[in-house]
Structure formats: C-alpha cells, structure tokens
Amino acid sequence: MSEALLAQRAANQAVPFCDMANAIRALAMDSVEKAKSGHPGMPMGMADVATVLFAEYMNIDPADPAWPDRDRFVLSAGHGSMLQYALHYLLGYEDMPIEQLQQFRQLGAKTAGHPEYGHALGIETTTGPLGQGIATAVGMALAERMMNARHGDDLVDHYTYVIAGDGCLMEGISHEAIDMAGHLKLGKLVVLWDDNHISIDGSTDLSTSTDQLRRFEAAGWNVARVDGHNEGDISEAIARARTHGDKPWLIACRTTIGFGAPTRAGTSKAHGEALGPEEIAGAREKLGWPYPPFVVPQPILSEWRKVSARGAQAHAQWKTRLAASSKGPSFKDQVFGDASKEIDAALTELKAKQFVEKPKIATRKASEIALTAINGACDVTVGGSADLTHSNLTITKGMEPVRPGAYGGRYIHYGVREHIMGAAMNGIALHGGFIPYGGTFLVFSDYARGAIRLSALMGQRVIYVLTHDSIGLGEDGPTHQPVEHLAALRVMPNLLVFRPADAIETTECWQAALAATSAPSVLALSRQALPALRVNAGDENLSAKGAYVLREAEGERDVTLLATGSEVELTVAAAEMLAREGVKAAVVSMPCWELFERQNDDYRRSVLGSAPRVAVEAALRFGWDRWIGDNGAFVGMHGFGASAPAGDLYKHFGVTTDAVVAQAKKMIAKN
C-alpha cells in the first residue's frame, strides 16, 4: 500500500492499527490463561492479518449474521478459535459479550475450543479436523459462483476468506481442495496462510519441505507472499486478490507464532498452552498494552464497531437492490423457499407408477429414477459424483455440468476426490440456496468420513449416494465390498442411513432424506437388480418409519425375519418356504434404523413382535443385537468378501434363503 493511502487511512482512524490488532492478542492470551487451556499462538500471530481483513475488506453485518450476500470467513485453523471469538466481541455480536470470552472452553459457553456452527452467531462452519475448513470453503465459494450465475452481481457478489495454518496444508484433503478450486477458477476464494513455520512438534521442517506457493500455482492459483505483521503488505495483497479474481488466491503471510510473547514467540511452546502470568505480563509490556485482563478501551472498541456499521450499510444497500431487482423473487424463492410440496408430489406420482409396474431394478437405478423426478420438480438440488457418475447414476437428463468459468449447471464432477466431495457439499449446504447430493461407492465412504461426521455434527442436509453396497457388487473383490461400513455409519449420531429393498423403498427413502432438513443422509444402494416386494399400494411413506411389517404371518408369529436392502428378498422367499412347512414367519423391512428408533414403543413392539428373531444382512452383525436380542440369530458376513460373481458369493458366504430357513427353525426349536 502506498504511503499516501496509509496516511489517508490513518487520518480516518481514531486509534492506531496496532492497537486494534493488540486487542485481539490480549483477549486471546487472557481467555486461554483463564481457561488454562487453548491455543494463544495463532491468534497472536495472525492478529494483524485478521485486523486488516475485517477492518478494511469483510462485508458482514453482526446484527443479521445470516445476510445472504455477506462475505464468508472460515477459520480453517480452528484451534485458534480465540481469534474468531475476540473478533466477534470486538465487532459487537450480540451473543459474544466479554463474559463469553471469560468462559472460554467451559461447559455451556458459546466459546467452544474450536468454532462450532450453530453454537455462536457468525460461525460459518465447524472447523475441527485440520484441512476440513479450507475444503468446506471451496464448496462455499463454488455455491457463490453458482448463485451468481443464476441471479447476477447485484444480488450475489461476495468473497470467501480462509485463514489456514501449516497443518491445514499438510492434510491430504487440502490437495483435493486446492486442485478443485484451481480447476474451477474460483476467483472469489482467498486463503490467508499463517506461514509461521511452527507445528506442535517444533519447526515444520521436521516433517515437510513443500514449496506451498509453487504447489498452489501448479493447481491454478494466484499466489503472493507478504510480511504478516506489515499492515500495508497485507492490505495490498488482499486488494490485489479482489481485483484480479480470475483464479483463487493464496496469500502466504509470514508470521511469528505468539507474536509479542517475550520468550515463547516463534516457538512451539506458544502453540497449545496458556502462556502463564509472567509471560503475559511481558507480552503486555512489549506490545504496549497496559490494560487489565479482558479490558478493551472504548476508543479501540468503537473503531472496531465501525466495521459492523460499514457492513450494516452494505447490507442495507443490498436489500435495496434485492427489492428493485427483477430476479429478487426467484432469489428469495431459492434461498428462503421450500420445494418440498413439489418434490413430494413428484415422488408420490412416481411411487404410484412403481406399484403398478413393479420394476425389477437395482436400487441405484431406482435412485436415478427418483432423482429424475426430484430434479424435474425443483431447481435447488445439485448433484455430483467422485468420478463414478455412470456407476452411481447421479446425473439426470438435462443436468448441465459446472465448468471452469461457467457455473450455471447443476452437476459437479468432483473427480477421484471423495474427501473434497463431502467437504464441498457441506460448504454448498452451509452457503444456502442448494441441496447437495454426491455419489461414490459405499466402501469409499471411509475417505469422506471426516466430512460426513461434520455434516452430522452441523445438522446439514447433505445426501450421500453410496452404491455397490455389499458383496453383491461381485468381481471387484473384498477391497470394494463393504462389510463393516453400514455399522460404522449407523453408529454416527444424527446421520440417517437408508438401505432400501426395492424401487418403492428407494423412492420413499429419497423422500425421507429430503424431508430431514437438519441431518445428513446416506443412501446405500445395490448394484444388482432387486424385485419389487411391496404388495399393498398406499400413499403413506412406510420407509420414513424406519421399519415396517412387509409381510405379516397368517396367525400368531412363530418367528420374525428382519432384513435390509437386497437381503429382504431372501427373507420373503424364506417366509414363503417356511409357510409351506406350516411355520408362520413375518418379514420386517428395516430401511433406516435411526428413524425406527424415533418411533414410539407401541409401534416398535408391533413391528418386532415377541417371537424369536432372525436378522439378515450381507454385512457384519455389529449393531443387530439391539433388534434381535441376545438370543437372536444372524445370517450375514463374518469377515471380508472375495472376488467372484455375486450369486456365487452369496452361496459361498451362506447368505441364502436356505440359511435363513435353517436359522429360523433353529430359533423356533430353542424357544
């Protein structure tokens, strides 16, 4: 920044820039000290960068933190959460009085150890695992461009800023994130890298020698290197990023961790523990901050509140444009509207057709058919796949792909990148305006698990289309055959795991997943064709109850057969075989355990009955004992799969109708 511009800005400021930054440093070290827990080093090191970003560039309105065209700020280095909490206090967020900072990391406080979406106003995303923040921000920046393509610059024109640390850039997910962002030319994404050369173990040269600027350049980013404690350098770099937005930007900010601490600055000792009274006293003296803990003088606080006033003005101007725009109604409908009636009507019509036609198709194909109805009924669903589009069947007729510089489509080719697919979908959902879904094989959900967990933790409506859900995929063998994945996903809180048995259940599961506005969903879908099993037509969504009696026994039950997905067919055949021998067996389909758990006791008892139970699933037993009891029987997998045609595998591993019949008889004999 030129000396003239610096002088002009200084004349407009009532307090020196360094005092604004030192307020962040003081609040961070005081809060961590009081908690005796936390990470003071990053907030102290990045205080200058954050001050320039917020004081000069960020468009936010703390009085309305969810304003759609606000700039997004993502603290990817989430351990430095006191940086964000200090900013929120200084900016005047109503839920962040000084008392919240004094309760940092305490039970019930909004100032959690890492930024948590929904816990405090203005937190755009939960950032815990390093790298997830920068990857989620890619989804936010992409959603901004997609919304802009629909509604124009007057209504959608904001930036996504990320503060990332060395750890974020070491994590493998960061490679997928920067590759995708560079390819798509997300020019309104700016990453401010806290280049302090320090990790927990010590200097970063213990574990990495990557030239990050060349790495980002190779992925199609613009890059710059600045002194992270020089106001002019930082401001000039951000200004350049905003005016040269043909590519995303990495700004490497060379900083000193724990800046101002007399003995710990620049060392790993500043990273993750309280500085202690003596070190803090020395830092106060060195920084020229003579004020008591948690005290920010009114002139400094007033200077920070000017940022909020500027944001409120920008917000008001945007509202005026929204009211005057011919695209205002469509924008409001997309962001604030509800397409559930149109979607439900389309799926109800599809289900009625399926009752008549009784298609024998793979549930992945049934999902494609359901998606055709969904995508035709609304324009807010955004699909994608991790390079398995025509295996996952996630694209439908008329869906144009999103391309570099052309963001009007509704389909995202994520490439072979499950990590970024999950995180980007979180970012798209958090941004607002879209419902994202994305596909890969169920076995590869392990790669997306970190993002799936954050989807659940944040309560985001993200739908994971996970096909090839069992040994039924056949010849690709045990590396591709999921046996433990259903159990691993079912144990995750606030995640709905659907495994439909036929086309009708698939349609119902999609309907239930879209209705779950505060939880993500997994649809585990078959590669192999499955027959239509639902006999009685009806409008009620039985799959939304989680489990239901598909075939009741004639008379009092002798045994109850429980199954999900492709194995429901086996239990129906087993029940028919048992009936010919005079054994009364009921068949229960359980497409979603989590929704079944939400039903009342009477309904669950009516479905499960009191007769002995046999569970059937081409996966491991783990978790089934809840439904079949300590003495229940299980027909399924007991280890990994093998490479062979699907039919041969089912026989080899004993997941057959005959095995179900044998277990049923054994259970009846025992009882």
Side-chain angles (χ1 to χ4, degrees):
M1 180 176 286
S2 69
E3 290 185 9
L5 286 175
L6 281 171
Q8 180 182 357
R9 195 182 63 209
N12 294 330
Q13 284 190 213
V15 299
F17 168 87
C18 62
D19 283 348
M20 295 179 70
N22 285 338
I24 296 174
R25 294 187 173 102
L27 291 170
M29 61 185 182
D30 289 343
S31 298
V32 173
E33 179 65 24
K34 188 173 188 300
K36 302 300 181 187
S37 171
H39 300 76
M42 192 281 274
M44 296 175 73
M46 284 296 281
D48 297 312
V49 175
T51 300
V52 172
L53 175 63
F54 278 82
E56 297 183 10
Y57 296 106
M58 283 289 294
N59 268 333
I60 54 170
D61 183 3
D64 187 358
W67 161 38
D69 201 36
R70 68 194 180 278
D71 289 335
R72 270 62 170 180
F73 173 67
V74 175
L75 187 65
S76 188
H79 55 274
S81 58
M82 264 313 305
L83 174 74
Q84 186 151 24
Y85 302 142
L87 283 166
H88 284 204
Y89 165 68
L90 295 168
L91 292 167
Y93 281 83
E94 66 178 9
D95 68 337
M96 199 58 65
I98 198 67
E99 290 80 10
Q100 284 292 334
L101 275 61
Q102 293 168 340
Q103 290 299 305
F104 179 53
R105 286 185 164 225
Q106 304 308 301
L107 184 64
K110 295 183 181 296
T111 45
H114 290 72
E116 300 286 352
Y117 174 82
H119 285 219
L121 298 172
I123 306 294
E124 300 287 1
T125 182
T126 294
T127 53
L130 292 177
Q132 284 288 336
I134 185 174
T136 303
V138 171
M140 292 178 179
L142 177 57
E144 188 275 342
R145 289 290 80 196
M146 293 174 69
M147 289 287 286
N148 174 272
R150 296 186 183 202
H151 305 291
D153 289 346
D154 278 353
L155 302 183
V156 185
D157 186 18
H158 54 265
Y159 288 83
T160 302
Y161 296 100
V162 181
I163 286 182
D166 291 301
C168 296
L169 302 190
M170 289 186 201
E171 288 284 2
I173 192 173
S174 73
H175 177 76
E176 296 185 12
I178 68 172
D179 189 7
M180 181 176 171
H183 170 72
L184 289 174
K185 300 185 183 301
L186 300 180
K188 289 188 173 292
L189 175 63
V190 180
V191 174
L192 300 156
W193 169 32
D194 180 17
D195 180 19
N196 61 33
H197 294 198
I198 293 293
S199 63
I200 292 176
D201 284 354
S203 174
T204 53
D205 63 15
L206 291 170
S207 57
T208 181
S209 54
T210 298
D211 185 329
Q212 293 291 357
L213 269 67
R214 291 178 66 187
R215 176 189 178 211
F216 275 75
E217 278 186 314
W221 289 55
N222 289 316
V223 299
R225 188 184 295 279
V226 303
D227 178 348
H229 302 298
N230 184 301
E231 172 192 2
D233 280 3
I234 300 163
S235 184
E236 186 174 9
I238 297 174
R240 187 178 175 208
R242 288 168 59 91
T243 55
H244 296 76
D246 55 327
K247 302 175 183 178
W249 276 82
L250 172 74
I251 301 175
C253 305
R254 185 68 178 95
T255 62
T256 300
I257 192 171
F259 183 89
T263 68
R264 294 193 179 186
T267 74
S268 59
K269 290 289 287 182
H271 172 78
E273 60 185 68
L275 297 177
E278 184 177 342
E279 188 78 2
I280 289 176
R284 277 182 150 77
E285 182 177 354
K286 189 171 183 179
L287 294 170
W289 188 265
Y291 312 109
F294 298 105
V295 172
V296 177
Q298 191 59 46
I300 298 174
L301 204 56
S302 296
E303 194 67 35
W304 270 109
R305 299 293 161 88
K306 289 180 182 179
V307 177
S308 302
R310 186 190 72 224
Q313 183 179 14
H315 185 188
Q317 292 168 351
W318 177 83
K319 284 182 175 178
T320 300
R321 295 196 302 273
L322 178 66
S325 174
S326 61
K327 295 183 178 180
S330 64
F331 177 88
K332 288 188 282 189
D333 188 53
Q334 183 172 354
V335 175
F336 305 114
D338 181 2
S340 59
K341 289 183 179 178
E342 291 81 3
I343 293 172
D344 286 347
L347 293 179
T348 298
E349 182 180 347
L350 172 60
K351 193 166 74 165
K353 181 181 178 183
Q354 290 170 334
F355 272 121
V356 174
E357 296 179 352
K358 295 181 171 49
K360 182 177 181 178
I361 53 177
T363 52
R364 63 171 176 159
K365 180 64 178 178
S367 171
E368 179 189 41
I369 294 169
L371 277 170
T372 299
I374 293 164
N375 292 336
C378 73
D379 62 356
V380 295
T381 46
V382 174
S385 172
D387 200 50
L388 289 167
T389 292
H390 300 294
S391 290
N392 302 145
L393 304 181
T394 41
I395 197 168
T396 61
K397 187 177 181 179
M399 293 185 83
E400 291 294 325
V402 174
R403 295 186 174 91
Y407 308 104
R410 290 174 62 186
Y411 195 81
I412 302 167
H413 291 284
Y414 289 102
V416 188
R417 304 190 191 104
E418 290 87 0
H419 296 279
I420 185 60
M421 181 177 74
M425 288 197 296
N426 282 340
I428 292 169
L430 288 161
H431 178 277
F434 297 106
I435 303 171
Y437 69 87
T440 186
F441 289 177
L442 176 58
V443 76
F444 300 146
S445 64
D446 286 340
Y447 280 179
R449 188 175 178 86
I452 295 173
R453 188 172 187 271
L454 290 184
S455 302
L457 188 60
M458 294 187 287
Q460 293 301 298
R461 182 169 49 178
V462 176
I463 300 174
Y464 297 87
V465 182
L466 304 180
T467 69
H468 296 60
D469 67 344
S470 73
I471 58 171
L473 71 88
E475 291 85 350
D476 275 340
T479 58
H480 284 54
Q481 293 165 6
V483 293
E484 76 276 26
H485 295 74
L486 288 170
L489 290 167
R490 284 170 177 154
V491 79
M492 190 179 293
N494 199 40
L495 175 66
L496 301 179
V497 181
F498 295 94
R499 190 168 186 246
D502 65 4
I504 290 170
E505 280 196 3
T506 304
T507 299
E508 290 183 335
C509 289
W510 262 110
Q511 192 171 28
L514 289 168
T517 57
S518 57
S521 297
V522 160
L523 278 82
L525 305 170
S526 74
R527 177 179 184 263
Q528 69 272 35
L530 304 178
L533 298 173
R534 186 83 64 80
V535 176
N536 299 316
D539 291 337
E540 185 179 14
N541 187 332
L542 297 178
S543 298
K545 294 186 173 185
Y548 65 97
V549 179
L550 177 65
R551 304 282 175 89
E552 186 56 274
E554 294 186 5
E556 186 176 350
R557 298 181 192 178
D558 294 319
V559 66
T560 299
L561 309 178
L562 314 174
T564 74
S566 47
E567 287 69 66
V568 177
E569 176 187 2
L570 299 181
T571 62
V572 170
E576 292 171 349
M577 188 180 297
L578 288 166
R580 289 194 290 271
E581 300 180 25
V583 177
K584 297 183 284 295
V587 175
V588 172
S589 179
M590 301 188 71
C592 183
W593 291 11
E594 296 78 21
L595 291 180
F596 188 53
E597 288 173 353
R598 298 179 188 177
Q599 307 306 310
N600 61 46
D601 291 343
D602 288 342
Y603 179 77
R604 289 202 301 269
R605 279 194 293 267
S606 71
V607 171
L608 296 174
S610 57
R613 301 168 194 163
V614 179
V616 189
E617 189 171 63
L620 299 180
R621 177 172 182 152
F622 192 85
W624 272 105
D625 291 283
R626 170 164 188 187
W627 308 117
I628 61 178
D630 294 340
N631 297 316
F634 178 73
V635 176
M637 298 296 293
H638 301 279
F640 293 113
S643 177
D648 294 346
L649 291 173
Y650 272 87
K651 292 176 184 176
H652 175 74
F653 290 109
V655 186
T656 64
T657 298
D658 287 343
V660 177
V661 169
Q663 286 294 339
K665 290 180 177 178
K666 183 177 179 181
M667 291 299 299
I668 293 169
K670 283 173 58 178
N671 288 272

